Amino acid sequence: KVKYDFKFTNEGNFSIQIKNVTASCGCTIAHWPKESISPRGTGHITVEYDPYNRPGPFNKNLVVYSTASNDPVTLQVMGKVMPKPRRPSD
């Protein structure tokens, strides 16, 4: 599994809270802070992608719903999974 942290800063004047993060498929999950982020406070959303049996390029979207705006924010994770080298027994 591969992880990436999307770091952010609350640049507003009020505390915000991440309400939900939805992924485009079950192979991608997200972990986010459940507590409010105060003005000028920081946080991160950790995204985890499971490449098991998924060789080749991938492009996954995560939609972040928060109290910062009525419009959700989309995060994107992309890359390429290299296939396992073949062994003589394969």
Side-chain angles (χ1 to χ4, degrees):
K1 295 180 182 178
V2 181
K3 294 181 182 180
Y4 183 80
D5 280 336
F6 286 93
K7 297 176 183 172
F8 63 89
T9 301
N10 177 2
E11 296 181 351
N13 296 320
F14 303 99
S15 291
I16 63 168
Q17 188 167 17
I18 297 174
K19 296 190 271 184
N20 195 18
V21 180
T22 59
S24 57
C25 84
C27 60
T28 308
I29 60 172
H31 305 281
W32 62 91
K34 306 303 185 228
E35 66 278 352
S36 294
I37 309 297
S38 60
R40 284 161 288 298
T42 61
H44 65 274
I45 298 171
T46 302
V47 176
E48 186 176 306
Y49 174 69
D50 185 354
Y52 183 74
N53 278 339
R54 294 179 185 92
F58 67 91
N59 185 353
K60 305 298 175 185
N61 292 319
L62 296 105
V63 180
V64 180
Y65 299 90
S66 76
T67 58
S69 171
N70 288 335
D71 297 323
V73 173
T74 301
L75 304 176
Q76 188 175 45
V77 180
M78 47 188 187
K80 183 177 182 181
V81 177
M82 302 304 291
K84 246 171 64 171
R86 293 181 64 101
R87 298 179 302 203
S89 61
D90 294 338

